Amino acid sequence: MYNEDLSYHARFSLEIMKGERPMFGNFLLYMLVPVFAGFSKSLLYHKISLCFLIAIATTIKFVWAKNKINEIGLFSYDISKRYWMSVLIAFSLIFVYVIPIPSYLLFDRFYLGNFVPNTWHNSTTIFLFPFAILLFYQSYKQIVEYDSKRNIIILILMIVNIFIKPSFFFVFICVYPLFMFIRHKLSKPFWISLLILFIGGLCLALEYFSIYLIGKDETQASSVVINIFFCYENFSPLSMLPFAIIFSLLFPLVYYIMNYKKRKKDILTWYILAMLIVSFLIYFILAESGLRATHGNFYWQIIICVWIFYFYALFFLLKDIKDQGFSLKNKILTGLYSVHVLLGLIYVIRLYSIGSAFLA
């Protein structure tokens, strides 16, 4: 295990178990690691437990993607071929990555300064991923076809999200009520959605107080502040930003530009785009002060929203291929997606050879 967030988080869980460190507000992963480590006092066991948990989370993410892709019905004449093609495509989504221009050309970096759809070094984000995707998907279903029973699922997923890592909830609390209002106006479903979000807000407030007021050993004199572009400029010059956005999102951007007429009235597309935009605005506007100022903790929601952006661009492309075959447009898009996956594989190799996500 390379010596970055994964090792630190395993050590945090051990120190929390031993009473040497206060329990963080985002306690869920740190609570589960000792359980699966058999409450051992060995750091190695905690590392193994952490790896097991994030492997399970990644598997859930993979299975969800595989099942959604399988629903498209590629190769409908051959069930086995359709299944294995779904497996292969879902597997590619574990590695899909940015085209690191200009960060690689200027600084020999694949990660810093870009807006990636996958991370391999931050355990809380990896563990959060499937629960954030499920929250996104269930909330979209609630927007288009309201079901009162689904509110319980959304509430549970929302609380799990908050107590693993609140990053995606920041986006969700901004976008979900807007789309519920657009779809349902001031009807009962809208007001119930606000009540659910209010409960989530209380959980978030509890977490905030536990991190910034109770956890003073690490966060003393830290707080959340408005500091435009501070987080981005900590890692890259601001002049890189427009290029980083374009080349980080190139495949889905090109897909939606090429298929604008088809997707412009699709509420799912606008829900995805709204979440993506809000995820960026949070990162560009908010920051932390004090000891946590350079941690970049308002970045993590971008990774999840970018992955969802990639997934649905690919999902729609696969549906187009099923309906239209490999037209020139679909060949171009497939080739572009393949470049993103290849660069993800290269990044993983660099990550483990260099031993640092921040230098890779």
Side-chain angles (χ1 to χ4, degrees):
M1 182 185 291
Y2 45 88
N3 190 27
E4 290 188 5
D5 287 15
L6 273 68
S7 291
Y8 295 144
H9 290 168
R11 187 176 294 110
F12 290 166
S13 73
L14 177 59
E15 292 173 353
I16 290 169
M17 188 194 76
K18 293 164 66 176
E20 298 172 357
R21 179 183 290 268
M23 178 70 78
F24 296 103
N26 55 323
F27 65 87
L28 199 50
L29 179 60
Y30 301 113
M31 181 183 72
L32 289 173
V33 169
V35 172
F36 284 89
F39 297 100
S40 169
K41 294 184 179 180
S42 165
L43 178 59
L44 175 61
Y45 281 24
H46 281 250
K47 289 182 178 182
I48 293 171
S49 173
L50 179 59
C51 288
F52 172 76
L53 286 166
I54 63 176
I56 292 295
T58 303
T59 301
I60 296 171
K61 171 183 164 185
F62 162 79
V63 170
W64 181 86
K66 175 190 69 69
N67 290 342
K68 291 298 295 178
I69 292 166
N70 198 46
E71 289 174 8
I72 297 170
L74 293 169
F75 306 107
S76 55
Y77 57 86
D78 188 332
I79 295 176
S80 177
K81 192 171 184 179
R82 180 177 67 192
Y83 173 81
W84 286 110
M85 182 58 70
S86 300
V87 168
L88 179 63
I89 295 170
F91 188 70
S92 75
L93 283 158
I94 295 174
F95 296 96
V96 69
Y97 204 65
V98 302
I99 297 174
I101 297 174
S103 64
Y104 178 72
L105 299 177
L106 296 177
F107 306 113
D108 190 33
R109 295 192 313 218
F110 268 52
Y111 176 65
L112 289 181
N114 297 299
F115 304 102
V116 301
N118 277 301
T119 181
W120 289 272
H121 75 282
N122 187 270
S123 54
T124 47
T125 302
I126 298 170
F127 192 64
L128 171 65
F129 235 114
F131 303 102
I133 293 168
L134 289 171
L135 179 59
F136 165 83
Y137 183 65
Q138 291 296 324
S139 65
Y140 164 69
K141 289 175 68 177
Q142 191 74 320
I143 290 166
V144 296
E145 190 176 347
Y146 181 80
D147 182 348
S148 59
K149 294 179 181 178
R150 193 179 291 119
N151 286 321
I152 302 299
I153 298 172
I154 291 172
L155 177 61
I156 293 170
L157 285 170
M158 191 176 63
I159 293 171
V160 169
N161 269 255
I162 291 168
F163 289 122
I164 294 174
K165 195 183 193 84
S167 304
F168 184 73
F169 180 73
F170 297 150
V171 179
F172 181 76
I173 199 172
C174 295
V175 178
Y176 179 57
L178 173 62
F179 276 76
M180 285 295 289
F181 174 75
I182 292 170
R183 185 75 174 183
H184 300 283
K185 302 299 186 279
L186 296 176
S187 62
K188 183 179 178 181
F190 170 73
W191 294 111
I192 292 176
S193 71
L194 288 189
L195 175 61
I196 291 171
L197 289 171
F198 177 74
I199 296 171
L202 292 178
C203 293
L204 183 64
L206 176 64
E207 184 168 77
Y208 177 88
F209 289 129
S210 72
I211 291 174
Y212 291 99
L213 299 181
I214 298 174
K216 289 185 177 180
D217 62 320
E218 186 177 330
T219 61
Q220 192 170 13
S222 291
S223 62
V224 177
V225 297
I226 295 175
N227 197 341
I228 296 176
F229 294 122
F230 173 80
C231 290
Y232 187 80
E233 289 186 287
N234 263 327
F235 304 106
S236 295
L238 196 57
S239 59
M240 271 182 50
L241 181 58
F243 303 100
I245 292 174
I246 291 169
F247 285 100
S248 293
L249 308 176
L250 193 59
F251 163 69
L253 283 177
V254 172
Y255 174 83
Y256 284 108
I257 290 169
M258 285 185 166
N259 294 276
Y260 171 73
K261 290 184 179 179
K262 184 189 300 184
R263 306 251 63 97
K264 67 179 180 179
K265 295 183 179 180
D266 177 25
I267 191 170
L268 175 57
T269 296
W270 289 108
Y271 192 44
I272 294 165
L273 286 173
M275 287 205 164
L276 185 70
I277 291 167
V278 170
S279 73
F280 275 89
L281 289 175
I282 290 170
Y283 179 60
F284 292 153
I285 294 172
L286 298 181
E288 291 176 290
S289 62
L291 297 177
R292 295 165 64 93
T294 60
H295 289 194
N297 285 321
F298 287 106
Y299 173 77
W300 305 114
Q301 73 283 349
I302 290 178
I303 297 177
I304 292 166
C305 292
V306 168
W307 188 90
I308 292 170
F309 194 39
Y310 268 83
F311 172 81
Y312 276 101
L314 179 62
F315 181 82
F316 295 141
L317 173 60
L318 293 170
K319 291 183 74 172
D320 293 345
I321 290 171
K322 182 191 176 185
D323 296 337
Q324 306 162 5
F326 270 106
S327 63
L328 177 60
K329 178 176 69 175
N330 292 340
K331 286 179 180 177
I332 291 170
L333 289 166
T334 301
L336 182 55
Y337 177 77
S338 299
V339 171
H340 281 281
V341 175
L342 176 61
L343 286 165
L345 292 169
I346 293 171
Y347 172 71
V348 171
I349 293 170
R350 284 170 58 92
L351 171 63
Y352 282 94
S353 62
I354 294 173
S356 169
F358 303 108
L359 298 177

